[in-house]
Amino acid sequence: MSPARPPEGAHSLSEGQARSAKGAPVSHDVIVIGARCAGSPTAMLLARAGHKVLCVDSATFPSDTLSTHLIHPPGVAALARWGLLERLLATPCPPIDTYAFDFGPFALAGRPGTPESPVAYAPRRTVLDKLLVDAAVEAGAEVREGYTVERLVVDNGRVTGVVGSGKGGAPATEHARFVVGADGRQSIVARTVIPDEYHKRPPLCCAYYSYWSGLPMHGRFEAYVRPVRGFAVWPTQDDLTLVIGGWPFAQLADHKSDIEGELMKAFELAPSFAERIRGARRESRFFGAAVPNYFRKPWGPGWALVGDAGYNKDFITAQGIQDAFRDAELCATALDETLSERATYDDAMARYQRTRDNALPMYEFTCEFAKLEPPPPELQQLLLAMRGNQPAIDAFARVNAGVMSPAEFFSESHTAQIFAHAAAHA
Ligand SMILES: Cc1cc2nc3c(=O)[nH]c(=O)nc-3n(C[C@H](O)[C@H](O)[C@H](O)COP(=O)(O)OP(=O)(O)OC[C@H]3O[C@@H](n4cnc5c(N)ncnc54)[C@H](O)[C@@H]3O)c2cc1C
């Protein structure tokens, strides 16, 4: 294990403070910083396993965050496993059972899920994150909203706690055997421990989203792929439809002054969609974002990272929420194994990292897609060959949903099957 590098100004424990047999001060088993898609499930699962958990967030809930919110079927399956899906559906939230990809000359529409988890949902983050926070509290975690961590406590290279405060309160120190950063891309944990980063890519596209009424979607997610432009549309709650569109990051400055005009020009590249949106009404302002792409080593002495804090990729394939759920489950399992002495910390956390990093093919697929370059000729041929082959189209929808690995979809044997089917039905 590489030791955590103490930040400038980090303070150590004074001699004589209470410590566990392993030398770490004890008041919580785990402190989780961040209480959204990664943090609350991590806290909830650890609390359900009987551990003493403190989860803090500088935000209060319900609150929104800069993110669209499509949850593909694997993320929905996680909510079902945790007993939270029924609550989400009661909010209510319309299902999405079809993913349609319009490439201009042709379109493909398939089913994104599996028999066990057939559909996606797109609840507002105000709803989803509040539901997750409540579930963590119900499980027995102590959740402090409006509480900001100012710095970590690092003792001989090991993270042993946090210094933070609630609104207007004086900073105080909290100790734990492990501190989990579920604190997003600007993670204070990552900034403190400076983990190794790998497969890094700069921001590749920038996109803007807004909410519209009068744009019914009938359970469909629609993505439109055009040269150096892409946009997607899907239903969310309150009879609203989310519309997001973007262009390569290199063009960020060129279009900043007229986002609406530039988006409308992009919509015109799909005339039937342009007509639909002309009859709809925009109900919110535009929210814009561009994000870097990276894997960070997600563990070290006394610390772990989950969600965007440890692994981030462009939002074009909308994987972040379900990836955060996956990390929460993997990391909580590894910490539970460690705390209950069923595995060593190093073994358990190395397993978490290896399993998380199996997402590499999806990460590469996402980064390619986010460049918004025209598909290379081989991919164009493959997409064309898929027309009329519903099982292949469904498989493509499942790739975009994170259900099927791009490595499997684009394997020689699978693509050969697609071309053979096309030849047989020519
Ligand atoms: C424009 C855009 C669109 C997206 N669309 C989708 C989509 O459709 N589907 C999808 O699955 N994903 C999407 N994503 C990705 C998704 O938003 C993230 O992957 C997801 O929010 C990660 O959750 P998280 O809990 O790791 O981090 P976050 O949601 O960033 O939460 C981190 C929390 O930590 C708290 N925090 C940070 N520092 C501190 C501190 N020092 N003290 C206390 N609290 C702290 C913050 O207040 C925050 O609440 C999108 C992202 C963007 C930017």
Side-chain angles (χ1 to χ4, degrees):
M1 276 192 303
S2 58
R5 282 161 242 178
E8 223 169 282
H11 69 265
S12 291
L13 296 161
S14 60
E15 290 300 309
Q17 259 182 299
R19 286 164 193 271
S20 72
K22 293 194 170 140
V26 205
S27 59
H28 307 280
D29 291 323
V30 182
I31 296 174
V32 182
I33 310 173
R36 292 192 187 269
C37 303
S40 279
T42 305
M44 174 191 75
L45 294 169
L46 283 164
R48 283 183 182 175
H51 303 297
K52 195 172 171 215
V53 183
L54 170 65
C55 178
V56 302
D57 200 305
S58 43
T60 57
F61 299 91
S63 59
D64 213 345
T65 185
L66 183 66
S67 170
T68 64
H69 33 81
L70 182 63
I71 309 179
H72 297 296
V76 174
L79 291 172
R81 251 190 329 276
W82 301 339
L84 303 177
L85 183 57
E86 288 303 315
R87 287 183 204 183
L88 175 66
L89 302 191
T91 56
C93 192
I96 300 169
D97 62 10
T98 303
Y99 286 12
F101 303 90
D102 183 317
F103 296 97
F106 65 96
L108 306 171
R111 304 275 179 197
T114 59
E116 299 73 40
S117 187
V119 299
Y121 293 96
R124 294 295 294 261
R125 291 292 295 262
T126 44
V127 172
L128 176 71
D129 295 1
K130 170 72 174 149
L131 188 149
L132 296 171
V133 169
D134 288 350
V137 173
E138 238 176 72
E142 179 186 346
V143 178
R144 292 187 201 161
E145 301 182 23
Y147 179 103
T148 300
V149 171
E150 290 161 20
R151 60 182 186 274
L152 301 192
V153 183
V154 181
D155 185 21
N156 285 326
R158 181 185 173 86
V159 174
T160 59
V162 304
V163 177
S165 58
K167 282 197 177 88
T173 304
E174 299 283 350
H175 295 299
R177 285 189 59 192
F178 300 104
V179 174
V180 177
D183 45 351
R185 295 189 301 277
Q186 304 302 326
S187 166
I188 193 170
V189 178
R191 279 185 281 128
T192 304
V193 302
I194 316 178
D196 289 341
E197 293 192 327
Y198 41 103
H199 304 306
K200 275 173 73 171
R201 309 271 165 76
L204 297 164
C205 88
C206 53
Y208 298 86
Y209 66 92
S210 53
Y211 295 92
W212 295 67
S213 61
L215 189 56
M217 296 303 297
H218 309 293
R220 278 165 69 90
F221 161 91
E222 294 176 6
Y224 294 82
V225 184
R226 297 292 186 272
V228 295
R229 290 292 178 275
F231 55 94
V233 200
W234 64 92
T236 177
Q237 298 179 295
D238 306 319
D239 290 325
L240 292 176
T241 293
L242 196 153
V243 181
I244 183 166
W247 34 86
F249 186 71
Q251 296 181 12
L252 175 72
D254 303 347
H255 305 307
K256 244 186 163 168
S257 58
D258 184 17
I259 289 156
E260 179 158 29
E262 205 52 43
L263 282 173
M264 288 300 178
K265 267 197 253 165
F267 300 153
E268 292 297 339
L269 299 171
S272 66
F273 178 75
E275 199 175 317
R276 277 162 65 202
I277 202 161
R278 275 195 296 271
R281 178 188 153 106
R282 182 158 62 82
E283 302 287 357
S284 76
R285 69 177 181 87
F286 292 106
F287 302 90
V291 299
N293 305 276
Y294 54 77
F295 285 79
R296 291 176 180 150
K297 186 183 179 205
W299 62 284
W303 60 269
L305 299 173
V306 288
D308 285 2
Y311 166 45
N312 194 58
K313 63 266 125 198
D314 196 278
F315 41 81
I316 196 158
T317 50
Q319 301 295 303
I321 296 171
Q322 67 182 10
D323 285 353
F325 290 174
R326 177 207 56 212
D327 289 0
E329 225 162 24
L330 291 171
C331 182
T333 301
L335 289 177
D336 175 42
E337 287 172 352
T338 308
L339 288 162
S340 51
E341 300 188 348
R342 298 197 308 280
T344 66
Y345 179 66
D346 287 20
D347 284 350
M349 295 308 272
R351 207 175 314 123
Y352 159 41
Q353 182 176 4
R354 271 197 310 277
T355 313
R356 183 201 67 170
D357 289 2
N358 286 337
L360 182 60
M362 190 61 193
Y363 176 82
E364 302 284 9
F365 177 77
T366 299
C367 290
E368 278 309 305
F369 199 175
K371 290 179 190 165
L372 296 175
E373 286 172 355
E378 323 80 73
L379 179 55
Q380 285 185 31
Q381 280 165 12
L382 183 68
L383 293 170
L384 276 168
M386 281 161 54
R387 284 181 302 174
N389 180 349
Q390 197 57 44
I393 297 171
D394 288 344
F396 185 68
R398 289 200 303 277
V399 168
N400 285 271
V403 174
M404 182 180 191
S405 169
E408 188 186 343
F409 183 86
F410 293 106
S411 69
E412 232 170 80
S413 60
H414 189 246
T415 53
Q417 270 176 35
I418 294 173
F419 285 120
H421 181 279
H425 294 79

